[in-house]
Amino acid sequence: MHSEHYSGYRKNFSLILIFIVLISVLFILSLFLAYNFSKKFIENEFVSEKVKVLEESIKPYNEFFQNKVPEISYYNGYLDSATTAKFVDTILKTYPFVSKVVFYDLEVNNGPVRDGLNTGQFSLGPKLVYQFGDLVPMDSVKLFSRDETKKFNHRDDFNALGIKLISYVENLDTTKVPAQDELFTNFSNIRSNKITYLNIPRFEDLKIYKEMLRNKLHPSPVYQQDMLSFHMDPYKIRIINSRPLLYQNIRIEPLTYDPLNTSSEYIATEIALPGPFSDYKLYFISAKSFVDKEIRSYFIPISLVMLLFYSLLVLVAYLIFRNLNINHRMFKLQYDFVNNLTHEFKTPVSVIKIAGNNIKSAASLTERELKMYGKILDEEADKLNGLMNKLLAFTQIENNAIELNKDIVNMEDFIESTIESHTLKHPDFNVTYEVSGFSTFITDPVLLGSLFDNLAENAYKYSRPELKRLHITARLIKGKIVLRFTDQGIGIPAPEINHIFKKFYRIQNQYNQNGSVGLGLAFCKELVNYMSGEISVKSKVNKGTEFKIVLPYNN
């Protein structure tokens, strides 16, 4: 067996091994980095996604503040208690975070009032004050009436927005119409857990309000204003957890809330509520084990993609290794083929040269010597001719360059002639045969002869001296010719069975060190295929081998 060094072929398997080790290290490192990236990403999301939760949770409040509250202005100051009660009822059902509404039915005068605000000739005072809410007792709905002696005790909200109104009117630029955002800001007041809103008068009315601050008008005008104070309960805000796999628990806490349990097993964050809820915050808390699940769910798809990429690289490395292995085996087969072919040619050529030199150098030759040298030259020339014919026939069959010459073959006569030729060559070769089910069939006798010769030669060559036996059977089974060549030779190892029909392949054993090119069985397979048949083999080491050939029956 030739080494890689002497055959001149390097497989470089060490480079493939280094490549696999390198990509494996990179794969493990990439997994580590990907996990750290996933961990950092989810931890950042834990901090940043709270904004989305806040936005989703306060959507109803934003709708209430931006759309529902301004509806009060549509009534132009002429709301009454019955209409307000219906309006508030809708508010309470739609927006549960509104707990109570206080309604102020106000009047703007061009003269002083007893209960209210007086600035110059301008006055703002309540006529009636009502409160509405699910928990408001029926006897407590009406809080104040100007016609009664009951004292006006709800001045905080009234005073705050009344002073804001007077300040705005006093500084009003009557040459240009104010923007709606400006009006909305100056006619509303946001305090802790409370929104107070005063209906916005027409611009022309605002101009008259400004005049009323400095002058007594004739006739003395009177204007109606409505003010509603919405009391809010932050704990009634419906929290919408848009990331349930990230936030295990979300609750509303006072802004000053500081948990006593600061265990490292939990992770927490917070965000302040807007507007009237600014004294409160959304408090987010999750167990680290809970967040770890989200980290893993984010990491697993990344790791699977990386595993796929790694698998592709390993597959490429495997394919390279396989191709190198195949190339190495083919190189070795071809290398052995050239060596064996050289030996096969060299031996007859050497013998012919020696015989020729002896004839040339001899002064005279006896008749016996002439016959001996003639026989030697004839035998060695036959060897060379047979080897070249096998190579030529193999190449022609592979390239479909020959035609199948069909003729009627008498099976018993054919086998007997094969046995006779081999026993003449090898007197110690014991060949028996059996034919049943048919006597003749149509095939190419030359190709069939080559098939028999190769298998018979193999049976003789790979048998021990005392067991050089071959039994040939030919049977007609189910419309097929089944040929079996059974010997008692050294057998074929199981791992070699799948390779024996390959070109240039030789089994390494004591019987196959020289004198074989590795074409015999490959030639047989090509012959059988060319004859539209099948060939298979069964073998046991040190027990023998049986080649089975199935050919189409034509008669």
Side-chain angles (χ1 to χ4, degrees):
M1 182 175 180
H2 300 283
S3 67
E4 291 178 14
H5 175 74
Y6 291 108
S7 68
Y9 185 88
R10 294 181 63 200
K11 290 187 282 188
N12 291 326
F13 290 157
S14 60
L15 291 178
I16 297 173
L17 181 61
I18 292 171
F19 174 73
I20 292 176
V21 170
L22 181 61
I23 63 173
S24 298
V25 170
L26 288 175
F27 174 65
I28 294 169
L29 179 62
S30 299
L31 286 177
F32 176 75
L33 293 175
Y35 182 79
N36 281 344
F37 169 78
S38 301
K39 186 172 182 292
K40 184 64 67 177
F41 179 82
I42 295 301
E43 286 176 352
N44 289 339
E45 279 213 325
F46 187 87
V47 175
S48 62
E49 287 295 298
K50 62 187 178 185
V51 176
K52 290 183 180 178
V53 175
L54 175 64
E55 289 174 350
E56 288 295 321
S57 299
I58 64 169
K59 263 184 182 179
Y61 163 75
N62 289 334
E63 180 189 345
F64 163 75
F65 183 70
Q66 295 170 9
N67 301 324
K68 204 67 181 174
V69 170
E71 286 184 15
I72 299 168
S73 294
Y74 298 161
Y75 295 95
N76 293 316
Y78 290 99
L79 269 174
D80 57 27
S81 59
T83 307
T84 303
K86 292 179 182 178
F87 175 76
V88 171
D89 189 53
T90 304
I91 293 289
L92 296 176
K93 288 180 179 177
T94 309
Y95 307 103
F97 50 81
V98 179
S99 59
K100 184 176 73 170
V101 179
V102 178
F103 165 56
Y104 298 81
D105 187 3
L106 304 176
E107 194 173 76
V108 175
N109 288 288
N110 195 204
V113 293
R114 184 188 67 184
D115 293 299
L117 296 172
N118 296 289
T119 303
Q121 300 300 318
F122 180 88
S123 64
L124 176 68
K127 293 188 296 180
L128 295 165
V129 179
Y130 293 89
Q131 64 176 348
F132 303 96
D134 292 337
L135 300 178
V136 175
M138 292 301 295
D139 58 353
S140 301
V141 171
K142 189 175 181 181
L143 298 176
F144 172 80
S145 173
R146 187 173 59 185
D147 298 330
E148 298 175 359
T149 57
K150 197 171 185 181
K151 189 177 179 182
F152 179 41
N153 292 322
H154 294 75
R155 286 184 171 274
D156 287 348
D157 298 331
F158 169 77
N159 287 346
L161 196 52
I163 292 169
K164 197 172 183 181
L165 168 66
I166 292 169
S167 177
Y168 175 72
V169 170
E170 192 171 18
N171 297 298
L172 179 67
D173 183 357
T174 58
T175 62
K176 61 178 182 180
V177 178
Q180 285 299 313
D181 289 345
E182 179 187 340
L183 290 170
F184 188 80
T185 302
N186 284 280
F187 282 77
S188 61
N189 191 36
I190 299 174
R191 302 169 70 184
S192 179
N193 298 336
K194 195 181 294 183
I195 295 176
T196 306
Y197 183 81
L198 186 66
N199 75 281
I200 301 172
R202 296 176 304 163
F203 182 53
E204 295 301 323
D205 293 342
L206 288 173
K207 288 180 181 180
I208 296 173
Y209 285 3
K210 190 173 180 70
E211 287 187 48
M212 291 168 65
L213 282 171
R214 296 178 175 83
N215 302 308
K216 184 73 174 176
L217 304 180
H218 298 284
S220 181
V222 176
Y223 290 90
Q224 301 300 315
Q225 290 284 154
D226 295 321
M227 188 177 82
L228 276 79
S229 183
F230 300 91
H231 293 247
M232 323 288 277
D233 183 356
Y235 294 104
K236 294 292 182 66
I237 294 175
R238 180 171 170 263
I239 298 172
I240 299 175
N241 188 356
S242 56
R243 291 297 302 272
L245 299 178
L246 190 61
Y247 299 120
Q248 191 173 13
N249 180 265
I250 307 173
R251 59 182 186 264
I252 295 171
E253 298 287 355
L255 206 58
T256 56
Y257 172 76
D258 189 13
L260 296 176
N261 183 9
T262 56
S263 171
S264 59
E265 295 179 2
Y266 293 89
I267 181 172
T269 187
E270 58 188 42
I271 187 170
L273 291 168
F277 309 120
S278 56
D279 289 341
Y280 298 85
K281 63 186 177 183
L282 285 181
Y283 185 74
F284 303 78
I285 186 168
S286 298
K288 283 192 174 179
S289 58
F290 184 83
V291 177
D292 286 343
K293 291 179 183 177
E294 184 70 357
I295 292 172
R296 286 193 294 271
S297 67
Y298 187 83
F299 167 70
I300 287 173
I302 297 175
S303 62
L304 289 176
V305 171
M306 294 172 64
L307 179 61
L308 176 62
F309 184 69
Y310 172 75
S311 301
L312 289 175
L313 290 177
V314 171
L315 178 62
V316 169
Y318 167 73
L319 293 175
I320 293 172
F321 170 78
R322 190 185 69 171
N323 288 339
L324 284 174
N325 206 29
I326 292 172
N327 289 341
H328 173 259
R329 191 160 59 244
M330 292 302 296
F331 183 88
K332 186 178 182 304
L333 289 174
Q334 293 175 19
Y335 182 79
D336 290 346
F337 167 71
V338 172
N339 281 343
N340 295 331
L341 190 63
T342 302
H343 177 81
E344 286 293 294
F345 274 102
K346 189 175 181 180
T347 302
V349 169
S350 297
V351 172
I352 290 171
K353 187 171 179 64
I354 292 168
N357 286 335
N358 288 342
I359 293 172
K360 184 173 70 173
S361 60
S364 63
L365 295 171
T366 64
E367 185 178 349
R368 181 174 172 277
E369 288 174 331
L370 285 172
K371 286 183 178 179
M372 182 186 69
Y373 285 126
K375 181 182 178 183
I376 289 172
L377 292 173
D378 185 57
E379 287 178 351
E380 297 305 319
D382 283 344
K383 285 182 182 179
L384 287 175
N385 186 55
L387 184 58
M388 287 187 292
N389 285 340
K390 182 181 286 188
L391 287 171
L392 180 61
F394 196 104
T395 304
Q396 288 176 330
I397 288 173
E398 273 194 321
N399 295 294
N400 295 319
I402 61 173
E403 292 184 4
L404 196 63
N405 297 317
K406 295 188 176 181
D407 201 356
I408 298 175
V409 174
N410 186 294
M411 204 63 207
E412 289 192 1
D413 292 344
F414 182 83
I415 294 175
E416 284 179 358
S417 66
T418 301
I419 293 172
E420 185 178 350
S421 65
H422 282 278
T423 50
L424 283 173
K425 190 190 298 185
H426 308 296
D428 57 338
F429 194 18
N430 181 15
V431 185
T432 57
Y433 75 95
E434 177 187 347
V435 178
S436 63
F438 75 108
S439 57
T440 64
F441 80 112
I442 298 172
T443 189
D444 188 317
V446 176
L447 298 184
L448 188 64
S450 297
L451 186 61
F452 270 66
D453 288 342
N454 273 282
L455 292 175
E457 193 66 35
N458 257 24
Y460 180 81
K461 182 177 179 179
Y462 296 108
S463 296
R464 296 182 182 85
E466 70 277 9
L467 293 173
K468 293 189 180 294
R469 298 168 190 158
L470 174 65
H471 182 65
I472 303 171
T473 63
R475 292 188 175 91
L476 180 64
I477 301 173
K478 296 181 180 180
K480 301 280 187 179
I481 300 295
V482 180
L483 306 174
R484 284 188 169 88
F485 295 78
T486 308
D487 62 41
Q488 298 177 18
I490 61 172
I492 303 169
E496 308 280 1
I497 290 288
N498 294 328
H499 304 295
I500 60 173
F501 292 113
K502 295 178 181 178
K503 285 190 297 183
F504 312 129
Y505 187 83
R506 296 192 313 142
I507 299 174
Q508 299 300 320
N509 55 53
Q510 59 179 332
Y511 297 91
N512 204 9
Q513 296 302 311
N514 292 302
S516 173
V517 185
L519 283 177
L521 291 177
F523 183 53
C524 289
K525 184 171 180 63
E526 290 296 330
L527 282 173
V528 171
N529 290 342
Y530 195 71
M531 298 165 73
S532 302
E534 297 175 359
I535 184 170
S536 58
V537 61
K538 291 191 299 185
S539 184
K540 288 186 178 179
V541 176
N542 297 324
K543 295 291 183 180
T545 302
E546 179 184 275
F547 286 93
K548 176 185 174 183
I549 298 165
V550 180
L551 297 173
Y553 176 64
N554 299 308
N555 199 3

